[in-house]
Amino acid sequence: MSTNTVKPYRSSRDEPNESFPNESFLNDSFLNESWVKLSHVEKVDYSGQEWVFRKDQLERRRIVICLGPCRVIVDGVRIYAASGTVIACEPRQWVETGGPSKEPQAMYFLEFEQGRVADGETAPDTDEIVSLRMNECRIHASVRLGHQIHLYWERSATADRMRAQAVFCELLALLVEYREHGDSEAPDVVKREIDCRYADNLPVDELAALTGVSRYQLMRGFKERYGKSIVEYITEVRLLHAKRLMQESKLSAGEIAERVGFRSEQYFRTVFKKEVGIAPAVYLRNRSRKVAAYSWPILGILLPLQVVPHAAPIDHYWTDEFSRKYSSDIAIPLGHHYEFNRRALRQLMPDCIIGLDCTITPEEAALLEEIAPVLLLPWMEAGWRQHLRMAADFLGMAEDAAAWLGRYEQKAAALRERARDAMGDQKVLVVKVAGNELQIWGRKAMTVLYDDLGLIPSRLTQDIDWYEPVEPDRLALCDEDCRFIVSVNGDSHSQARWRKLQADNRWTGLRQVREQAVHFLPGHQAWVYPWLENSALHQERLLDRIAYSILCGES
């Protein structure tokens, strides 16, 4: 891979029917013509602490062995990594690990050098000699081998380093076997079957019979392996092929539906709208323009306009839903490094780039302008409605923004009357459990609650724009007629803080808790600053969640 060309990492899920490409460093001439030397071994542990992560631009080849579920991102693409997952990475790729997680993460990094032996002399490791192009795979023995390699390497003695090298070669042998024969586990067999026969009727019982395991074992194993159900994966593959046919052929919607396995054109349109969020015709029309979303909150602005970008960051944990639905649409996944993103965007040559003024320096904006017209939204100074209108004007979609805002205002108006009827003159305080903190969320963070639904904020919210840490004692100063809306994040630290709070007399003694004047909102997997969610899409979802919590009396 030359320094002037970006070749984003593609996981095996992106290309059905592929295992390892033919251009593997483990080819037939490997043993005769090449040498390989283990040069560094490291065990990396993350406790689950929020925002703890590591990002490296590799100087040498690296194999990552995951000891359990891990967050691994290569060149902007997130890989679903379970225990025994092995990921091989090339020099100059960006590899990010760690980050917010409900559980601890552990993995081994095995860095190595490789070169060619020719005419009795050794040549250095260069891109012209070998090309490490491997997708991730799952090899259960890799965990045991990783332990052994690390153990020997830590001893430092020459003999033990040689033993580490020998075990590393055993790992390479398993990778060769995987490349030649594939994984024989039931979930992987079923995945390959779906990739080949996605247009056929594929009952789960038939797939289970194919693998020789029970229906329950297969469904559980597939979900654990790929993070989605068999039915969800079948739908995902069918939609992937449908999108390609829509863009590359002149087939009608009915013909496409038949080719990819949907039982009728109407059912295809229904599933497409439900899963993609956009009608097929609108999706195809808006795909004609190459829009690059430089910052991840831009996704929450483009989707209400029914625009799916061609380039976007899809590696953040809080964009998992976007990644599941739209990763196949992202031609160029962006990352967190200016130079990498510029090279990626030059490859795409987008029609325009949209980002946030608080994440891009003026110098970087000038360099991006050389690639395509750039819009930087004044993220902290303007509200989410203004962000939507500015982006729409930039894209020539002002009418689309006006229509979306009109629907939003209509929904808010209808819910406002019901919310006021349910709450009367009672005030509201939003309490957030985020990591080790208890917080009060202010007016800007809950504009849906106070501005759109017209509910009355507690006096404790006064002078708080976004959020402020608070001790349980202070909540006792809340207005007598105030109700709580509580949101607890899903990460392990937030859940532990919430359990501790529920056993705290300062919390259990509060009137709102005693009288069950508490409503609950779902929280994020981990702590996210509220201003990062200040987009049209998030506000609409928050409106629905708040209305459900209050109007349905969930407490």
Side-chain angles (χ1 to χ4, degrees):
M1 183 166 59
S2 70
T3 56
N4 296 320
T5 304
V6 174
K7 296 183 179 179
Y9 183 92
R10 304 294 288 177
S11 76
S12 58
R13 298 181 302 281
D14 298 326
E15 299 294 340
N17 304 324
E18 287 192 8
S19 177
F20 292 107
N22 293 329
E23 301 176 10
S24 171
F25 84 115
L26 298 172
N27 53 39
D28 294 336
S29 62
F30 172 73
L31 291 178
N32 295 327
E33 300 179 3
S34 301
W35 58 266
V36 63
K37 178 184 177 182
L38 189 64
S39 56
H40 180 72
V41 177
E42 180 182 0
K43 185 178 182 182
V44 180
D45 288 287
Y46 298 101
S47 65
Q49 180 66 38
E50 300 184 53
W51 300 115
V52 178
F53 67 94
R54 170 174 168 176
K55 186 165 187 177
D56 304 315
Q57 186 174 33
L58 302 188
E59 296 180 358
R60 294 174 290 196
R61 286 166 165 65
R62 175 184 292 178
I63 287 178
V64 179
I65 301 175
C66 299
L67 307 187
C70 294
R71 180 176 180 266
V72 182
I73 297 160
V74 181
D75 278 354
V77 174
R78 183 169 180 174
I79 298 169
Y80 181 75
S83 177
T85 297
V86 180
I87 307 161
C89 310
E90 299 182 31
R92 289 192 293 277
Q93 285 188 315
W94 285 94
V95 179
E96 181 177 329
T97 55
S101 172
K102 294 181 180 180
E103 303 297 335
Q105 305 175 59
M107 62 202 80
Y108 290 114
F109 290 171
L110 311 180
E111 295 193 352
F112 65 100
E113 300 171 4
Q114 181 186 340
R116 171 173 293 175
V117 178
D119 299 326
E121 297 182 358
T122 60
D125 185 13
T126 66
D127 289 339
E128 288 73 23
I129 292 177
V130 289
S131 179
L132 179 57
R133 301 179 185 279
M134 294 171 56
N135 299 317
E136 79 275 13
C137 60
R138 193 176 186 189
I139 300 174
H140 289 299
S142 65
V143 174
R144 173 179 56 82
L145 297 178
H147 286 316
Q148 291 180 348
I149 294 170
H150 183 255
L151 178 64
Y152 288 137
W153 191 265
E154 287 293 296
R155 291 176 179 173
S156 301
T158 301
D160 286 319
R161 288 292 175 93
M162 293 181 70
R163 291 186 179 98
Q165 179 76 31
V167 180
F168 179 65
C169 288
E170 184 178 348
L171 175 64
L172 295 182
L174 291 177
L175 293 176
V176 170
E177 287 183 341
Y178 187 97
R179 180 172 64 87
E180 293 177 347
H181 306 297
D183 197 331
S184 60
E185 288 189 348
D188 301 279
V189 171
V190 167
K191 179 185 178 299
R192 290 196 295 272
E193 189 73 7
I194 295 171
D195 291 342
C196 293
R197 298 178 50 207
Y198 60 87
D200 298 341
N201 180 31
L202 296 172
V204 175
D205 289 336
E206 178 183 327
L207 295 172
L210 178 69
T211 62
V213 301
S214 70
R215 173 191 178 97
Y216 172 75
Q217 286 177 308
L218 176 61
M219 293 174 66
R220 183 182 64 182
F222 195 94
K223 184 68 178 286
E224 291 177 351
R225 175 70 177 92
Y226 295 108
K228 63 195 72 177
S229 70
I230 292 175
V231 173
E232 288 171 338
Y233 183 69
I234 292 173
T235 301
E236 179 182 295
V237 174
R238 286 174 174 172
L239 289 177
L240 171 64
H241 286 275
K243 289 176 181 178
R244 289 177 176 172
L245 286 174
M246 289 166 62
Q247 296 176 72
E248 298 172 3
S249 74
K250 295 184 179 180
L251 296 174
S252 67
E255 291 171 319
I256 291 175
E258 182 178 0
R259 286 201 181 190
V260 301
F262 290 102
R263 60 176 179 262
S264 69
E265 178 182 343
Q266 182 58 45
Y267 183 63
F268 164 63
R269 293 181 184 276
T270 300
V271 173
F272 194 100
K273 182 66 166 63
K274 177 184 176 182
E275 296 298 323
V276 183
I278 304 171
V282 177
Y283 168 86
L284 186 58
R285 181 178 70 242
N286 290 344
R287 286 295 287 177
S288 62
R289 171 184 292 156
K290 292 182 180 180
V291 178
Y294 197 94
S295 308
W296 70 265
I298 301 301
L299 305 174
I301 295 173
L302 294 179
L303 291 180
L305 298 175
Q306 302 189 84
V307 172
V308 180
H310 283 69
I314 57 173
D315 58 337
H316 296 280
Y317 67 94
W318 51 81
T319 54
D320 279 352
E321 179 186 355
F322 180 89
S323 180
R324 288 194 302 271
K325 290 186 176 183
Y326 305 108
S327 60
S328 63
D329 294 296
I330 304 302
I332 300 293
L334 302 179
H336 310 279
H337 190 266
Y338 283 158
E339 183 180 352
F340 170 80
N341 287 343
R342 286 198 304 272
R343 289 190 288 120
L345 291 172
R346 288 192 190 99
Q347 178 179 325
L348 175 66
M349 294 304 296
D351 296 319
C352 61
I353 302 169
I354 305 178
L356 312 183
D357 63 350
C358 56
T359 63
I360 300 177
T361 66
E363 294 77 12
E364 180 63 16
L367 292 173
L368 292 175
E369 285 281 4
E370 297 175 2
I371 301 173
V374 176
L375 170 66
L376 296 184
L377 298 173
W379 199 250
M380 300 301 288
E381 289 74 28
W384 64 267
R385 288 176 174 83
Q386 187 176 351
H387 296 154
L388 182 66
R389 293 190 185 100
M390 291 177 67
D393 289 342
F394 184 65
L395 296 172
M397 304 180 70
E399 292 184 2
D400 298 85
W404 190 93
L405 287 169
R407 291 190 295 271
Y408 178 89
E409 303 297 353
Q410 188 175 23
K411 178 191 291 188
L415 292 173
R416 186 182 307 123
E417 295 301 319
R418 296 176 60 194
R420 290 304 300 269
D421 288 344
M423 299 293 292
D425 293 329
Q426 293 184 91
K427 296 179 180 178
V428 175
L429 181 71
V430 178
V431 178
K432 182 75 170 180
V433 181
N436 295 320
E437 282 189 348
L438 186 66
Q439 303 167 348
I440 294 175
W441 276 29
R443 294 199 63 122
K444 286 187 177 180
M446 300 305 298
T447 178
V448 168
L449 192 71
Y450 303 126
D451 296 333
D452 298 342
L453 292 182
L455 297 181
I456 307 170
S458 164
R459 63 172 177 238
L460 291 184
T461 308
Q462 186 177 2
D463 300 326
I464 300 177
D465 283 340
W466 293 102
Y467 77 94
E468 183 176 292
V470 64
E471 292 297 325
D473 311 77
R474 189 178 170 193
L475 298 179
L477 302 177
C478 192
D479 311 74
E480 291 186 2
D481 58 346
C482 182
R483 301 180 71 86
F484 289 168
I485 294 180
V486 177
S487 177
V488 183
N489 290 336
D491 63 282
S492 58
H493 290 278
S494 299
Q495 293 295 319
R497 181 71 177 91
W498 174 235
R499 289 192 296 270
K500 184 177 179 180
L501 184 65
Q502 289 178 297
D504 191 326
N505 291 334
R506 295 175 297 172
W507 173 261
T508 58
L510 293 171
R511 180 194 63 80
Q512 289 82 1
V513 179
R514 295 196 316 270
E515 298 179 4
Q516 297 184 338
V518 180
H519 306 274
F520 289 91
L521 289 176
H524 292 277
Q525 177 183 347
W527 165 234
V528 179
Y529 294 107
W531 51 82
L532 294 178
E533 291 282 13
N534 195 26
S535 67
L537 182 64
H538 175 72
Q539 299 302 325
E540 182 181 37
R541 292 181 175 181
L542 188 57
L543 176 69
D544 294 336
R545 290 167 183 167
I546 290 174
Y548 178 82
S549 175
I550 293 176
L551 300 180
C552 295
E554 184 180 353
S555 61

